[in-house]
Amino acid sequence: MAKTSNARQDAVEAAVRLFRTQGYSATGLTQLLEESGAPKGSFYFHFPGGKEQLALEALQVFGSELRGRIQRRAAATSPGDEPAFVRALFEATARELEASDYTAGCVASNLGGELSSGNRTIADAVNGAVQSWVEAIADGVANRFETREAAVTYAATVMASLSGMRTMARAQRSTAMFAAIAEVLINGLPAVKAAAS
């Protein structure tokens, strides 16, 4: 039983790695099987929906892990120091890119860019993952905003900037602009709200 469970998990983890670095279309079933070590005969047992089902599960795993990292950074931020939270998001993304030699893409961006225009299931899953990240960022900056809507709008701007910076950094092989973009976004944060008397 454990072997079956591991084979499924290994396939999903291999898919996360490969979809991040080379995208969906460039990742073939043979490579997925080789990377995961899963026997070919078991693939459709675990993923009767084929490669698309594997992509959806990889996105779910990647999305959950990233949301957890955002939430942990928010929890580690002192109240009133939301700028430190925003900086931490950019610093962590920059460090991850450098450590991966600029290969660490985003599963949601890659799947969304390749498949979402013609695949409603993938588009909905990508949207769900991204919205969960936006909500987690909004939670981390909520104390600075009068309304949840304003916090979510700001968080969406942060998320879009992180995504764009990741793409630029991979192309330029440089994270030099990350800190500067973080500061632009921090300058857009409102002052700390006065405590109610």
Side-chain angles (χ1 to χ4, degrees):
M1 189 71 171
K3 187 172 183 181
T4 298
S5 176
N6 287 342
R8 180 186 187 82
Q9 181 178 336
D10 291 347
V12 172
E13 289 174 357
V16 169
R17 287 193 307 273
L18 292 169
F19 294 158
R20 288 191 77 183
T21 58
Q22 61 191 38
Y24 181 87
S25 298
T27 301
L29 182 57
T30 300
Q31 186 182 17
L32 283 164
L33 294 172
E34 287 173 358
E35 291 273 336
S36 68
K40 188 170 186 179
S42 70
F43 180 81
Y44 286 102
F45 172 76
H46 293 303
F47 305 102
K51 187 177 166 187
E52 181 178 316
Q53 181 184 345
L54 178 59
L56 289 167
E57 294 192 27
L59 177 59
Q60 183 178 23
V61 167
F62 179 78
S64 178
E65 288 175 357
L66 182 53
R67 183 175 62 253
R69 290 200 301 266
I70 295 168
Q71 290 169 332
R72 287 190 294 276
R73 284 189 185 90
T77 302
S78 301
D81 196 11
E82 290 77 17
F85 168 58
V86 174
R87 286 188 190 101
L89 294 176
F90 279 82
E91 288 168 6
T93 305
R95 284 195 305 269
E96 181 187 42
L97 278 163
E98 292 164 353
S100 74
D101 195 28
Y102 299 95
T103 63
C106 172
V107 175
S109 292
N110 290 346
L111 292 180
E114 291 185 58
L115 303 174
S116 66
S117 64
N119 186 320
R120 193 70 252 160
T121 301
I122 293 287
D124 289 345
V126 167
N127 184 56
V130 173
Q131 287 304 313
S132 76
W133 304 334
V134 168
E135 292 291 338
I137 295 170
D139 290 342
V141 298
N143 288 335
R144 292 288 182 121
F145 293 91
E146 294 293 338
T147 67
R148 180 66 181 183
E149 182 181 8
V152 168
T153 298
Y154 178 82
T157 305
V158 171
M159 190 71 246
S161 298
L162 283 166
S163 179
M165 287 307 302
R166 183 189 292 274
T167 299
M168 289 175 63
R170 290 183 77 192
Q172 297 171 351
R173 296 186 60 79
S174 171
T175 57
M177 288 296 295
F178 272 72
I181 297 300
E183 293 308 314
V184 168
L185 291 167
I186 287 164
N187 290 334
L189 276 170
V192 178
K193 293 188 294 187
S197 50

